[in-house]
Amino acid sequence: LVNQRDVAKKAGVSSATVSAVINNNKFVSKRLKEKVLKAIEELNYEVDLIARSLKINRTYTIGVIVGNILSNFYSIIAKSIEDTVKKYNYSMILCNGDDDPSEELKYLKILKSNKVDGIILTPTNKNVQYINKIIESGTKVVLIDRLIEGVNCDAVIVDNRNGSYKAIKYLIGVGYKKIAAIISPIEFTTGKGRLEGYLDAIDEASLPLNSKFIKIGCSKKDDGINMTKELLRGSERPEVIFTGSLDLTLGAIIALKELKLNIPDDIGLLGWDDVDWSAIIDPPLTVVGQPIYDLGVKAAEILMKKIKGDKEVVNSKSLIKTLSTHLIVRNSTK
Amino acid sequence: LVNQRDVAKKAGVSSATVSAVINNNKFVSKRLKEKVLKAIEELNYEVDLIARSLKINRTYTIGVIVGNILSNFYSIIAKSIEDTVKKYNYSMILCNGDDDPSEELKYLKILKSNKVDGIILTPTNKNVQYINKIIESGTKVVLIDRLIEGVNCDAVIVDNRNGSYKAIKYLIGVGYKKIAAIISPIEFTTGKGRLEGYLDAIDEASLPLNSKFIKIGCSKKDDGINMTKELLRGSERPEVIFTGSLDLTLGAIIALKELKLNIPDDIGLLGWDDVDWSAIIDPPLTVVGQPIYDLGVKAAEILMKKIKGDKEVVNSKSLIKTLSTHLIVRNSTK
DNA sequence: GTGAAAGCGCTAACAT
DNA sequence: ATGTTAGCGCTTTCAC
């Protein structure tokens, strides 16, 4: 490995001069600068970013930990964050927390050790202590999609309760009475809010609440498949299913197709998230759409401001930005 | 920040002893060990992985650079790699090369500086020099999905030419004559192979070759949309379109729906890659399926073996593993 | 068994 | 304008 000293030796200067040339932060005479550049060229030298960051504690990269790398929802989030930070000359490294606290912790540690300047994550609710430690250490953090108690930091989320409420209200409006819901864990604010909206709408319409119609579990595709099947095994069949996340929706569709149930004739389906395939599947899906790309953009922008030391943002300890959802009616509901 | 010296001071030992305790690689008396552990506990100390790796040149993490983070194809690849390396107690950080040589180079540098023990990437063909440099520096590399000339390293790919050949042959078999193809750039071995298969099958059947029926461009969704529309603007309309990548397929479907063309009555569609939505869209898609998850598993396993210094793998300079594709016939073709 | 000290590659005072 | 040097936090050889 060729290092700064090798370059310095070859150019006949000190390593400080080499550093100055590389970082362009001190005046170096044209003559020496050229010598150094030439030596760098010839030796094919490259700065060791890791050694540098050991020193300066800054890397110009941010880390992102998402809930489930397989989900299109998180792909879009990741892409929007990267697109945004790229404008600030920042790079992004992505980690798969997999909605698993121990994986999350592992990657939090890796990111911290790699001295990323900031972290954006969809938190599980088990690592608040460590997250606080990271914040105290000076690394900027912003939460996305989910909130957690006990950590004081900015976040950008969506009006979960309201999105869900509007959806169920719509279903009731078009005549559905037996409405089932498949929701992600209520320890997450997403699951909690989406369940609340469901409950509120059912209550408001004075519909009987049937606990057998409510399934709560992890939010991956397979969980969606399983919970849908469970739901349909019951003696009483719902007229429509509301699924409270993208992958839960995907799972429900797969299960319904497998059971050869026609949507919406045999059973209706109202999903969460509007993505590429939402409109092209059979039938096109009625969904609660959330501004996924925007979620990432907003989070990244807040993070960049915090990193740059923007007073307004830095002073407000925990700014929570809530974006709104909107109902998109297509053909999976009658 | 609390460091090893702080722990050493608190425990009344030397920092060498602290290091020994942490790494469990020297004999330390029970008495001192306990003291050290207690100090670590009380100070909430954590090793700085980056400082450590500056010293030992090992991180127990690998880096993955994918072509397009938005594509489900790459999500699956990433997940399968992570699942696999996790078994070896390795972590994975993911970067979005975005099929852009300069982004790829940027992330290659970041990964190298972060001293990842290995890298898996779907290469563009512009950074062979740098990739070779990385390999020479001792970092293990394995290519996935695409091959590039001029770099000597292991790779796992798919039988592109054959997959495409079988698909077109099938189309010809069921009576299609005017067969269009939308393919990713032929500088990539994927695009090249898939085009070859198309050409070979057309040739073998002595069908006239219509250059207007061949569109070659980037492999993102929007490119698929645009090329499909271009194709349909021509005076002569193909009877069926073959799309040579997942996102190209997605784009074609979106474009066709937008143009209100019925699949397969107005025009047939044969796509590439079998993913979650392939079978649930309208109509269910006939596709060339490739073992996506397996691609990642194989690549990760080879990488792990190289990192562990497995003789067999390390000695064979550039082992290319080719997995096979298979045609899945559904309803998007007549 | 344990500790002192050198050094990984870099940056930033400080001295010249 | 350029060089000397200390030190970021860690590991590891070599004394003791």
Side-chain angles (χ1 to χ4, degrees), chain B residues 95-155:
Chain B
C95 306
N96 181 30
D98 215 26
D99 280 343
D100 174 343
S102 73
E103 286 296 300
E104 178 179 71
L105 184 60
K106 178 178 88 176
Y107 282 116
L108 245 11
K109 286 183 177 173
I110 287 178
L111 291 178
K112 177 156 180 275
S113 280
N114 278 4
K115 301 205 192 318
V116 293
D117 296 348
I119 295 175
I120 296 179
L121 85 157
T122 51
T124 68
N125 54 354
K126 301 292 184 206
N127 294 314
V128 313
Q129 207 186 345
Y130 194 78
I131 293 172
N132 277 326
K133 189 171 163 187
I134 287 184
I135 295 172
E136 277 159 30
S137 82
T139 304
K140 308 304 180 195
V141 175
V142 0
L143 268 25
I144 189 166
D145 189 46
R146 300 198 285 244
L147 259 28
I148 47 174
E149 299 232 358
V151 357
N152 232 337
C153 83
D154 303 66

Side-chain angles (χ1 to χ4, degrees), chain A residues 174-193:
Chain A
V174 298
Y176 286 108
K177 292 205 155 38
K178 298 178 179 177
I179 304 172
I182 296 178
I183 308 264
S184 51
I186 53 173
E187 300 96 68
F188 295 155
T189 50
T190 41
K192 182 160 174 281

Side-chain angles (χ1 to χ4, degrees), chain A residues 13-14 16-17 28-29 32 54-55:
Chain A
V13 300
S14 77
T17 304
V28 179
S29 69
L32 285 202
L54 178 62
K55 185 76 188 171

Side-chain angles (χ1 to χ4, degrees), chain A residues 309-327:
Chain A
D310 184 294
K311 278 174 202 152
E312 207 180 325
V313 175
V314 170
N315 290 342
S316 86
K317 264 271 177 186
S318 77
L319 171 86
I320 294 171
K321 188 159 195 109
T322 305
L323 308 186
S324 34
T325 58
H326 58 288
L327 187 67

